[in-house]
Amino acid sequence: MFVQSIDKIAGLTLSENEPMKKHTAFGVGGIADYYAEVDSLYTLNALIQQAQENRIPYKVIGLGCNLLVSD
């Protein structure tokens, strides 16, 4: 349901079961159910709205520096 609801959002790249070690400076981290990259604040706002409506927990991260993701 969540994937279909965000499928129409322009400027969004979504991955499922994404290893977070690919996105942290330390190269560590477990698997995220969903991982999204956006190209604008408008896209970010639309994605957050859909996540909230579908009760999907989310974190907004930057470039992954000083970020530890548990395994």
Side-chain angles (χ1 to χ4, degrees), residues 27-55:
V28 297
I31 304 294
D33 294 335
Y34 302 104
Y35 176 81
E37 292 186 9
V38 299
D39 66 358
S40 69
L41 287 176
Y42 174 81
T43 303
L44 177 61
N45 286 332
L47 177 60
I48 289 173
Q49 181 180 7
Q50 288 300 316
Q52 290 172 340
E53 288 177 10
N54 288 278
R55 297 185 178 179

Side-chain angles (χ1 to χ4, degrees), residues 10-27:
L12 172 69
T13 303
L14 180 74
S15 301
E16 294 184 68
N17 301 313
E18 181 73 9
M20 290 303 296
K21 66 182 180 180
K22 294 171 32 179
H23 306 286
T24 64
F26 294 111

Side-chain angles (χ1 to χ4, degrees), residues 1 5 9 11-12 14 17 19 21 24 30 32 35-36 55 59-60 62-63 69-70:
M1 179 79 173
S5 68
I9 299 175
L12 172 69
L14 180 74
N17 301 313
K21 66 182 180 180
T24 64
Y35 176 81
R55 297 185 178 179
K59 299 270 187 219
V60 178
L63 297 176
V69 180
S70 67

